[in-house]
């Protein structure tokens, strides 16, 4: 079974631009969660989608948004990029929603904002 | 809200030596606890998890962890470390709405 895939793997953007990251979950998984990983803040939860609905959201500004499609693929969008948005963005999928379900992580998208 | 503390930022052990990585959590209800490993440039891989039952949990790659409710701890152990175990290790607690991760412990393995 293929793992979680994220595209692109690397991205360089300029301040003020917007960016869209994509995540394809493991086949059969209906929940997708997004995390931001930085050296200073560590791993922080962004949001979780299940059955095309955002179920939970972390403490991030409205510039961070996402969506999930009917095939469970998910996209994350960051508008008006800031230097502090430079990070590794990780996507994780699980069969169901909630803390009891095991999450499988993708390799991440490395975003650099200049 | 739940939180996780990993007191050790960096640990160095010799190959073949035993390993213990510490994790303390704070959560009001029954915790769902996880240990993940991350190699450079990679995503996170689940090593093991604790939901309920036996407090000693076996995971992949020879790792185990023990849940101690009285100490709010979930320490990760391995009896004999291999060079390939060098990586960053994250403890996490699954809360009501999200997963909270510790800051991570970087493991260096000396030959």
């Amino acid at each position: 079974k293929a793992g979680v895939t994220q595209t692109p793997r690397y991205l360089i953007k300029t301040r003020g631009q917007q960016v869209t990251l994509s995540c394809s979950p493991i086949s059969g998984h209906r929940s997708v969660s997004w995390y931001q990983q930085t050296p200073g803040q560590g791993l922080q939860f962004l949001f979780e989608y299940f059955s095309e609905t955002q179920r939970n959201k972390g403490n991030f500004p409205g510039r961070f948004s996402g969506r999930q499609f009917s095939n469970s693929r998910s996209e994350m969008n960051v508008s008006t990029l800031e230097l502090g948005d430079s990070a590794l963005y990780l996507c994780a999928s699980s069969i169901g929603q909630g803390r009891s379900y095991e999450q499988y992580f993708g390799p991440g998208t490395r975003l650099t904002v200049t | 809200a739940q939180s996780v503390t990993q007191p050790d930022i960096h640990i160095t052990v010799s190959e073949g030596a035993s390993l213990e990585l510490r994790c303390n959590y704070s959560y009001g209800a029954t915790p769902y606890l996880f240990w993940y490993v991350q190699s450079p440039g990679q995503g996170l891989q689940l090593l093991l998890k604790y939901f309920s039952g036996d407090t000693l949990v076996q995971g992949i790659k020879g790792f185990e962890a023990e849940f101690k409710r009285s100490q709010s701890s979930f320490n990760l152990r391995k009896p004999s470390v291999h060079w390939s175990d060098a990586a960053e290790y994250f403890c996490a607690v699954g809360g009501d709405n999200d997963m909270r991760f510790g800051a991570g412990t970087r493991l260096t393995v000396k030959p």
Side-chain angles (χ1 to χ4, degrees), chain A residues 37 56 99-100 102 105-106, chain B residues 32 38 46 49 51 95 97:
Chain A
Q37 186 178 26
N56 295 300
R99 63 196 183 119
S100 64
E102 187 172 322
F105 283 79
Chain B
Y32 284 51
Q38 185 179 34
L46 180 68
K49 62 189 177 189
F51 290 168
N97 297 315

Side-chain angles (χ1 to χ4, degrees), chain B residues 42-77:
Chain B
Q42 301 297 315
L44 278 68
Q45 181 183 22
L46 180 68
L47 287 174
L48 47 77
K49 62 189 177 189
Y50 172 79
F51 290 168
S52 64
D54 193 347
T55 56
L56 186 61
V57 181
Q58 301 297 321
I60 63 171
K61 304 185 180 186
F63 286 93
E64 66 177 27
E66 186 170 13
F67 169 60
K68 293 185 178 180
R69 184 186 296 275
S70 61
Q71 298 177 19
S72 297
S73 69
F74 188 56
N75 294 348
L76 182 71
R77 301 193 294 246

Side-chain angles (χ1 to χ4, degrees), chain B residues 3-55:
Chain B
S3 66
V4 180
T5 302
Q6 292 180 248
D8 305 305
I9 295 173
H10 185 206
I11 282 182
T12 299
V13 299
S14 297
E15 190 168 14
S18 63
L19 171 71
E20 182 168 25
L21 302 182
R22 296 184 292 165
C23 172
N24 293 98
Y25 69 90
S26 173
Y27 188 62
T30 302
Y32 284 51
L33 297 163
F34 307 82
W35 273 100
Y36 286 88
V37 61
Q38 185 179 34
S39 298
Q42 301 297 315
L44 278 68
Q45 181 183 22
L46 180 68
L47 287 174
L48 47 77
K49 62 189 177 189
Y50 172 79
F51 290 168
S52 64
D54 193 347
T55 56

